[in-house]
Amino acid sequence: MSTMDPSEKKIIGITGAVLALFIFSILYARGRNNELPACLPYNKTYLEPKVIRLDQQTYQVYAVAQMWQFQPNQINIPAGSEVDFFLTSKDLVHGFNIAQKNVNMMAVYGNINKTTVKFEKPGIYKITCHEYCGVGHQSMQAEVIVTETPVR
Ligand code: CUA
């Protein structure tokens, strides 16, 4: 018959508590982030950068990343707009970060990532590449310009 050392019991208890906290955090995060970027089937038409206006406050942006720029690099929309971003890359892996909006995506060749963002407040929202991609990495930026009045 083996008896357990008190310190062993203590460690098992702590491990169990940490594990429970870990599982709880995952479930909690899952409940809160149901707007995670989605992967879509690849289609070459996504390589053509464009902004499509569906109505006054609904837009689609086909964003293309390449060394070392984003296209389109300026997106003008009115406040209150909801934007679907479809993101791909022409070469290697780039980042697509809109810090003010908690957008954190990867631009991957042969792949399209999608997320939807609502821009309630006017302002300039910087899009930056946050995945090191070579000498021009730090200059890889674009912006979303959100204006007060509706764009006509
Ligand atoms: Cu593109 Cu860093």
Side-chain angles (χ1 to χ4, degrees):
M1 192 185 110
S2 70
T3 52
M4 219 184 257
D5 191 85
S7 67
E8 257 183 311
K9 280 186 187 167
K10 202 171 147 191
I11 287 176
I12 290 171
I14 293 170
T15 309
V18 169
L19 200 62
L21 182 70
F22 177 70
I23 291 167
F24 173 78
S25 332
I26 289 175
L27 295 176
Y28 181 74
R30 196 182 64 170
R32 284 173 60 92
N33 285 314
N34 36 29
E35 276 291 311
L36 287 174
C39 285
L40 303 176
Y42 190 57
N43 173 335
K44 285 233 189 267
T45 59
Y46 287 89
L47 277 173
E48 194 189 316
K50 51 186 177 267
V51 178
I52 298 171
R53 179 177 182 251
L54 297 179
D55 67 40
Q56 226 171 39
Q57 291 193 310
T58 316
Y59 292 79
Q60 288 182 331
V61 173
Y62 289 63
V64 179
Q66 66 185 103
M67 289 182 273
W68 283 280
Q69 58 173 307
F70 289 110
Q71 282 182 300
N73 80 357
Q74 202 187 81
I75 300 148
N76 295 287
I77 52 165
S81 293
E82 197 170 88
V83 182
D84 288 332
F85 287 96
F86 299 93
L87 175 68
T88 192
S89 168
K90 277 192 176 168
D91 38 50
L92 36 82
V93 175
H94 296 278
F96 186 92
N97 180 240
I98 310 176
Q100 288 152 282
K101 280 286 159 194
N102 249 333
V103 172
N104 180 344
M105 284 201 288
M106 287 286 134
V108 184
Y109 179 80
N111 186 50
I112 303 132
N113 282 314
K114 186 206 168 206
T115 194
T116 303
V117 187
K118 187 153 188 179
F119 294 89
E120 296 91 353
K121 291 187 189 140
I124 296 171
Y125 297 81
K126 287 272 178 210
I127 299 170
T128 52
C129 178
H130 63 315
E131 180 71 27
Y132 184 72
C133 55
V135 292
H137 164 70
Q138 72 288 343
S139 62
M140 211 176 145
Q141 293 189 3
E143 53 196 21
V144 180
I145 298 176
V146 181
T147 49
E148 196 95 48
T149 48
V151 177
R152 305 213 179 263

